[in-house]
């Protein structure tokens, strides 16, 4: 006989492995549903494509984490929403506008295109390191190190400390794992303070130097520099790693699509958009709250309620995408919401896409054959419903097929 807790655990792990049937049921049942978030905290969840899109651009859905935290506290939920680290993604205007303006110039389409040689060099180096191995872990050996190495290079963080950045970021995101949250933030802050002093005395062409100059000009506080670096570090690698892992698995599941992509490498940009739609790396946008009552397709969400917006459900909505549960790499429809929408639309979307294109292109080019080298049922998915990604993806490879272009 199973207990209610066992049942709940089994349901949760089935959801983590494949959330789409449940999301489809919720989406079909009502435009907005009330779900339990963490410790018995009821929150409203929006799932249909057009409602999700509207919610993301509607200023009546606030993002200020201090207010969301106050709402959770009022409900007696012992939940920490991250109000100890305030950054642009959990702020509302005017703070959001000021913080985003300070950094957005670095991530324009043109500036990111100029980063292509850097991304190719780092991806190529990682693939070189895998030469001669009959089995590789696509996530641990490639998808994980790639984006963190890139964002650290842009920030101006010394590559020899890469291991520490990973430890800090894991501890900050996954509370209860190894190092404590407090120790990780204290160490990261001390490390940053030292590096900022260094950049002040000997400036370089990197984001940290720009942020130090802005702080000295009074455009942001020291605490805001820490939070900005933290957000870029997390946003810069916790997302792309998911894209690369799930895209590779999708190619293993769809040999016809893999063959098509190998034959049409120039279509990689379009394919990456489809991977992002099919398995959205950020499955749930960050917590919002209603600043006043809002009508969502006939359902009223009262003022002062916490709201989740499901990007993963919206991107599989059959009212927007034909045959949404099929991977169709030449779908040629960039209308997915994997990067969000509105004020908080992903600042790093061009970089995320470039990393996806270069990394997946490199992987296919280096290895003529890729095959799953694990029992599908045992693949470890990240244990969260906010992000969608694999922790490990062992793959048997044959190749290298080709010499690198260029
Ligand atoms: C495939 C890769 C990526 C995906 C799928 C992704 C997804 C997202 C999503 C959905 C949001 C909005 C969340 C919300 O509204 O609650 C967001 C915001 C953000 N992302 Fe990304 N992201 C990716 C890569 C990156 C990279 C490489 C960077 C770093 C440079 C980055 C930096 C940010 C920042 C700073 C924000 C906050 C923007 C704001 O609040 O105005 N992202 N991302």
């Amino acid at each position: 006989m199973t207990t209610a807790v066992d049942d709940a655990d089994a349901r949760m792990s089935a959801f983590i492995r494949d959330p789409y049937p449940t999301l489809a049921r919720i989406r079909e049942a009502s435009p907005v549903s009330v779900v339990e978030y963490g410790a018995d905290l009821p929150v409203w969840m929006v799932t249909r494509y057009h409602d999700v899109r509207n919610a993301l651009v509607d200023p009546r859905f606030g993002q200020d984490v201090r207010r969301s935290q106050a709402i959770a506290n009022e409900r007696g939920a012992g939940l920490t929403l991250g109000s100890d680290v305030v950054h642009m993604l959990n702020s509302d205007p005017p703070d959001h506008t000021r913080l985003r303006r300070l950094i957005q110039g670095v991530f324009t389409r043109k500036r990111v295109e100029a980063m292509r040689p850097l991304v190719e060099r780092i991806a190529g180096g990682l693939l070189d390191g895998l030469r001669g191995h009959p089995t590789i872990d696509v996530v641990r050996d490639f998808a994980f190190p790639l984006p963190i190495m890139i964002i650290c290079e842009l920030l101006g963080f010394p590559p020899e400390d890469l291991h520490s950045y990973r430890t800090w970021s894991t501890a900050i995101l996954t509370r209860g794992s190894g190092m404590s949250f407090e120790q990780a933030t204290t160490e990261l802050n001390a490390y940053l303070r030292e590096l900022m002093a260094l950049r002040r005395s000997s400036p370089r062409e990197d984001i940290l130097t720009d942020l130090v100059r802005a702080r000295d000009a009074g455009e942001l506080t020291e605490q805001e520099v820490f939070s900005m670096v933290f957000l870029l570090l997390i946003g810069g690698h916790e997302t792309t790693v998911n894209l690369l892992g799930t895209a590779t698995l999708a190619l293993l599941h769809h040999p016809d699509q893999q063959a098509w992509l190998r034959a049409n490498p120039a279509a990689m940009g379009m394919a990456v958009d489809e991977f992002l739609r099919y398995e959205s790396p950020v499955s749930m946008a960050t917590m919002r709250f209603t600043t006043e009552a809002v009508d969502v397709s006939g359902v009223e969400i009262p003022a002062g309620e916490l709201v989740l917006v499901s990007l993963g459900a919206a991107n599989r909505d059959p009212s927007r995408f034909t045959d949404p549960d099929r991977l169709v790499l030449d779908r040629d429809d960039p209308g997915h919401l994997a990067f969000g929408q509105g004020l908080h639309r992903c600042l790093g979307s061009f970089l995320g896409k470039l990393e996806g294109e270069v990394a997946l292109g490199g992987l296919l080019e280096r290895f003529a054959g890729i095959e799953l080298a694990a029992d599908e049922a045992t693949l470890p998915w990240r244990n969260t419903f906010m992000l969608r990604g694999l922790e490990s993806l062992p793959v048997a490879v044959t190749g290298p097929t080709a010499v690198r272009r260029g």
Side-chain angles (χ1 to χ4, degrees):
M1 203 176 79
T2 56
T3 63
V5 173
D6 290 337
D7 288 347
D9 282 353
R11 272 202 309 276
M12 187 61 184
S13 60
F15 179 83
I16 295 286
R17 262 199 319 279
D18 182 9
Y20 300 107
T22 310
L23 290 178
R25 269 200 306 280
I26 298 175
R27 191 180 52 225
E28 277 154 29
S30 170
V32 191
S33 309
V34 177
V35 296
E36 295 275 305
Y37 181 88
D40 300 331
L41 178 67
V43 299
W44 301 70
M45 185 160 101
V46 184
T47 48
R48 296 183 183 169
Y49 181 90
H50 291 286
D51 295 332
V52 164
R53 203 171 198 286
N54 289 341
L56 292 171
V57 300
D58 187 335
R60 293 174 300 171
F61 290 96
Q63 296 266 107
D64 187 333
V65 68
R66 288 156 293 199
R67 290 187 58 192
S68 323
Q69 184 68 64
I71 296 172
N73 294 347
E74 274 163 28
R75 307 271 154 92
L79 201 70
T80 313
L81 294 172
S83 54
D84 31 13
V85 187
V86 178
H87 45 65
M88 81 179 90
L89 182 54
N90 59 23
S91 304
D92 286 326
D95 284 339
H96 170 266
T97 323
R98 174 175 56 87
L99 293 170
R100 185 160 170 135
R101 251 190 217 140
L102 279 171
I103 191 84
Q104 64 190 8
V106 178
F107 295 103
T108 58
R109 188 192 292 272
K110 201 166 156 215
R111 292 281 292 274
V112 168
E113 195 42 48
M115 295 172 197
R116 188 178 281 273
L118 167 76
V119 177
E120 285 178 344
R121 173 167 58 76
I122 294 180
L126 286 167
L127 288 170
D128 285 347
L130 299 175
R131 218 183 274 270
H133 294 266
T135 306
I136 61 169
D137 190 324
V138 173
V139 173
R140 292 192 184 145
D141 301 336
F142 186 54
F144 187 70
L146 176 75
I148 198 167
M149 286 169 80
I150 292 166
I151 194 68
C152 285
E153 175 93 23
L154 297 177
L155 281 166
F157 281 18
E160 56 273 19
D161 297 330
L162 206 66
H163 180 73
S164 305
Y165 315 139
R166 277 191 206 163
T167 312
W168 293 327
S169 121
T170 310
I172 290 168
L173 269 196
T174 330
R175 297 184 190 204
S177 74
M179 185 185 281
S180 74
F181 175 84
E182 289 72 22
Q183 189 185 346
T185 42
T186 309
E187 284 187 19
L188 175 59
N189 283 0
Y191 178 86
L192 266 180
R193 205 163 282 127
E194 222 172 278
L195 206 56
M196 283 164 71
L198 205 66
R199 290 291 178 275
R200 197 168 192 221
S201 51
S202 41
R204 282 182 17 179
E205 289 279 304
D206 59 35
I207 294 178
L208 196 61
T209 304
D210 291 348
L211 290 175
V212 168
R213 282 204 190 103
R215 180 208 52 188
D216 291 347
E219 292 168 282
L220 82 174
T221 65
E222 176 141 311
Q223 191 51 50
E224 286 172 334
V225 176
F226 293 160
S227 303
M228 179 86 84
V229 168
F230 164 80
L231 176 65
L232 293 175
L233 206 56
I234 303 293
H237 84 279
E238 291 289 344
T239 47
T240 310
V241 54
N242 297 343
L243 164 67
L244 301 182
T246 55
T248 308
L249 184 63
L251 288 175
L252 295 171
H253 284 157
H254 299 84
D256 60 321
Q257 294 294 297
Q258 190 189 140
W260 181 83
L261 192 55
R262 284 181 184 278
N264 296 279
M268 188 53 91
M270 180 166 70
V272 168
D273 273 319
E274 174 66 353
F275 290 128
L276 285 163
R277 182 200 70 79
Y278 184 72
E279 290 276 27
S280 305
V282 177
S283 187
M284 198 73 81
T286 50
M287 188 74 83
R288 268 88 173 147
F289 60 88
T290 43
T291 58
E292 56 185 90
V294 182
D295 181 289
V296 176
S297 292
V299 178
E300 186 181 289
I301 309 181
E305 290 293 321
L306 295 175
V307 182
L308 286 171
V309 180
S310 174
L311 306 178
N315 284 336
R316 296 268 191 133
D317 186 341
S319 75
R320 172 61 180 78
F321 299 101
T322 312
D323 229 347
D325 295 324
R326 267 189 61 213
L327 179 81
V328 184
L329 293 182
D330 63 350
R331 193 180 281 272
D332 202 9
D333 182 349
H336 64 77
L337 299 173
F339 289 119
Q341 200 61 242
L343 283 188
H344 294 276
R345 189 176 194 281
C346 180
L347 183 73
S349 62
F350 295 123
L351 180 57
K353 271 202 72 177
L354 176 68
E355 288 173 346
E357 287 172 34
V358 170
L360 293 168
L363 200 71
L364 291 181
E365 195 177 286
R366 288 295 177 99
F367 302 114
I370 49 173
E371 254 177 61
L372 190 59
D375 175 0
E376 171 94 41
T378 64
L379 285 180
W381 288 90
R382 299 185 67 167
N383 193 21
T384 159
F385 64 95
M386 303 296 281
L387 300 173
R388 171 84 176 145
L390 287 158
E391 278 171 4
S392 164
L393 181 61
V395 162
V397 291
T398 47
T401 34
V403 190
R404 239 181 341 140
R405 280 191 298 250

